[in-house]
Amino acid sequence: MKIPININDLISGKTVEWERIEFKKGWNPEAIIHTICAFANDFNNWGGGYIILGIESRDGKPILPPIGLNPNNIDKIQKELLNLCNRINPNYFPVVSPSIFMNKHIIILWVFGGGNRPYQVPYKIKKEEKLEYKYYIRRYSNTVIAKKSEIEELISMAANIPFDDRINQQAKIEDIDIFYVKSFLKEIKSGLDIHVSPVEIYKQLNIIAGPNEYLRPKNVALLFFSENPHIFLKGAQIDVVEFVDDIGDNFTEKIFQGPIQIQLKRSLQYIRDKVIKEKVEKQEGKAESKRFYNYPFSAIEESLANAVYHKSYEMDSPIEVRIFPDKIEILSYPGPLPPLNKNNINNGNLAARKYRNRVIGNFMKELQLTEGSGTGFPKIKRVLKENVSPPPLFETDEERTYFLVVISCHPNFVEEIQEKVNIGGVNGGVNGGVNGGVNGGV
């Protein structure tokens, strides 16, 4: 079976973090079954991972060209893998994709986060009936045996499948639009065969689940591939509100709906066209001019993409983008996951290790709408600093009920805005006084 992701992008680490890829020179049953267990347990809600057989690695990254596997052993490896996976408790079977890469035979195992975690596997592969079973998780780029506290947390997570990966019982297969699915596969240059039945494509993408007689879409399928996801998930939209002044009485509102990747692109294009302004200043003694913006677009782009990625779609509240004369606020619900809190959220050294939406993030990375885990805050800070703008403000409350990003306008543009406000105030006062005096006299 083919995997949805583009193989070149996968092996290059372009769309999947290195922590979620395990390269194996050859067939090593014991190590491979341990790593399958770790990815299936998906302790950090990363969305599982990939095991690639036939490629050596150094420091977690591939050594190319690949060594490859003996093509005569491909079927044998797949049969052994099937027997191994029957030893996983409860049973779990990854997607197995024999592939050709750089003219070499490799096998890619797509190990998505399991729906029946926690999983455990034999510590040693033996023929004896009595086997010692262990729980495995991923810790950074390593597969390790779970500690007692981690096992307890795994067990507590058993009934808590991430919302985006849950079945939506109110929707039907027909609510998925095959046009959006095929457009997605084309954009990410997937190797999936799009000429098979839609249901077969959905199964290979892992966006539907249930018995064959009662297949239902997962929430992620409705968010990305339904014409109107807000019908099923009320908070699945972006509201852009532009205020004329700080008081908030005079404003315009634009609502973006549809598949979340499309509403993200359209809202960003709207902001780019309506809000972003550029200044060019000549520098004395230099041929190049200095360019800066009221808001660097990439900071807005990263902030809004992060909101789409990390928001809870269980909640009815949409993402709000509030544009004031001197700042832009991006508000989403709820707040960040631990260890981030209201006291350390603006520190540059911290990043969440666990994620709310394990499939949304994967799809957004494949579409290149967001980057790797933990890169959002540093990128926003970096591009604002390069634009000589004030640093961003990240805010939440004690209970982490919301997450707010505040991006301030470049000081040079703020001065212009203030001048316009002052001129407007003077003109308004003069005109009001003249008109009032004349009308009163008449």
Side-chain angles (χ1 to χ4, degrees), residues 11 76-77 185 206 228 244 267 362 374 423:
I11 294 174
K76 180 184 175 184
I77 289 173
L185 293 173
N206 195 28
N228 296 298
V244 176
S267 58
N362 289 342
I423 292 170

Side-chain angles (χ1 to χ4, degrees), residues 303-350:
S303 300
L304 190 51
N306 278 349
V308 172
Y309 179 177
H310 297 294
K311 153 184 169 53
S312 170
Y313 291 91
E314 286 185 90
M315 305 178 73
D316 292 347
S317 304
I319 294 169
E320 299 175 38
V321 181
R322 302 188 294 211
I323 303 168
F324 295 94
D326 61 343
K327 63 185 176 184
I328 293 178
E329 297 180 349
I330 298 174
L331 179 66
S332 59
Y333 303 90
L337 291 171
L340 295 175
N341 58 49
K342 64 174 292 187
N343 299 317
N344 64 23
I345 196 169
N346 286 287
N347 295 350
N349 304 324
L350 283 175

Side-chain angles (χ1 to χ4, degrees), residues 391-403:
L393 174 66
F394 305 114
E395 182 182 306
T396 187
D397 57 5
E398 197 71 47
E399 293 76 27
R400 301 187 185 89
T401 60
Y402 71 91
F403 181 55

Side-chain angles (χ1 to χ4, degrees), residues 342-365:
K342 64 174 292 187
N343 299 317
N344 64 23
I345 196 169
N346 286 287
N347 295 350
N349 304 324
L350 283 175
R353 295 302 305 167
K354 294 192 176 183
Y355 294 91
R356 187 169 284 116
N357 301 308
R358 67 184 180 189
V359 190
I360 288 174
N362 289 342
F363 283 177
M364 290 184 67
K365 289 167 194 169

Side-chain angles (χ1 to χ4, degrees), residues 42-77:
D42 199 21
F43 187 64
N44 296 302
N45 282 338
W46 289 347
Y50 298 83
I51 304 171
I52 303 175
L53 312 182
I55 299 180
E56 282 190 285
S57 67
R58 183 183 296 117
D59 299 326
K61 297 181 181 179
I63 299 174
L64 301 176
I67 291 175
L69 302 170
N70 186 333
N72 297 324
N73 292 335
I74 299 294
D75 287 342
K76 180 184 175 184
I77 289 173

Side-chain angles (χ1 to χ4, degrees), residues 132-147:
E132 182 184 5
Y133 274 73
K134 299 282 187 183
Y135 294 96
Y136 288 84
I137 61 171
R138 291 290 282 185
R139 191 174 293 143
Y140 301 103
S141 296
N142 302 306
T143 294
V144 299
I145 297 173
K147 297 177 182 177

Side-chain angles (χ1 to χ4, degrees), residues 183-382:
S183 297
F184 168 79
L185 293 173
K186 183 178 179 180
E187 187 170 349
I188 68 171
K189 299 180 176 63
S190 170
L192 282 188
D193 183 2
I194 62 173
H195 301 294
V196 297
S197 70
V199 170
E200 188 60 32
I201 295 174
Y202 304 159
K203 283 182 177 179
Q204 292 183 68
L205 270 171
N206 195 28
I207 59 173
I208 60 175
N212 286 332
E213 68 275 13
Y214 194 73
L215 286 169
R216 287 290 183 268
K218 294 184 177 182
N219 287 318
V220 70
L222 300 171
L223 288 167
F224 276 86
F225 309 123
S226 171
E227 181 68 34
N228 296 298
H230 64 278
I231 292 175
F232 307 98
L233 308 162
K234 292 183 180 179
Q237 67 183 50
I238 299 174
D239 296 353
V240 180
V241 184
E242 187 169 5
F243 296 93
V244 176
D245 52 40
D246 291 330
I247 299 172
D249 293 334
N250 190 357
F251 64 89
T252 57
E253 184 177 29
K254 181 81 171 173
I255 296 175
F256 295 90
Q257 295 176 332
I260 59 172
Q261 73 277 22
I262 293 176
Q263 58 178 265
L264 173 60
K265 291 177 181 178
R266 288 177 177 170
S267 58
L268 285 170
Q269 188 61 50
Y270 177 84
I271 294 169
R272 184 196 283 272
D273 294 342
K274 299 286 186 180
V275 179
I276 305 299
K277 293 179 174 57
E278 180 186 20
K279 272 190 177 184
V280 179
E281 288 184 356
K282 289 186 177 180
Q283 301 183 78
E284 189 175 344
K286 295 183 179 180
E288 294 182 0
S289 298
K290 184 179 178 182
R291 295 175 180 271
F292 54 91
Y293 301 85
N294 56 345
Y295 305 100
F297 179 72
S298 55
I300 305 296
E301 183 179 38
E302 189 70 23
S303 300
L304 190 51
N306 278 349
V308 172
Y309 179 177
H310 297 294
K311 153 184 169 53
S312 170
Y313 291 91
E314 286 185 90
M315 305 178 73
D316 292 347
S317 304
I319 294 169
E320 299 175 38
V321 181
R322 302 188 294 211
I323 303 168
F324 295 94
D326 61 343
K327 63 185 176 184
I328 293 178
E329 297 180 349
I330 298 174
L331 179 66
S332 59
Y333 303 90
L337 291 171
L340 295 175
N341 58 49
K342 64 174 292 187
N343 299 317
N344 64 23
I345 196 169
N346 286 287
N347 295 350
N349 304 324
L350 283 175
R353 295 302 305 167
K354 294 192 176 183
Y355 294 91
R356 187 169 284 116
N357 301 308
R358 67 184 180 189
V359 190
I360 288 174
N362 289 342
F363 283 177
M364 290 184 67
K365 289 167 194 169
E366 289 167 24
L367 290 167
Q368 298 183 29
L369 294 174
T370 188
E371 297 182 10
S373 303
T375 60
F377 285 12
K379 181 177 179 180
I380 295 167
K381 292 179 178 179
R382 185 184 74 250

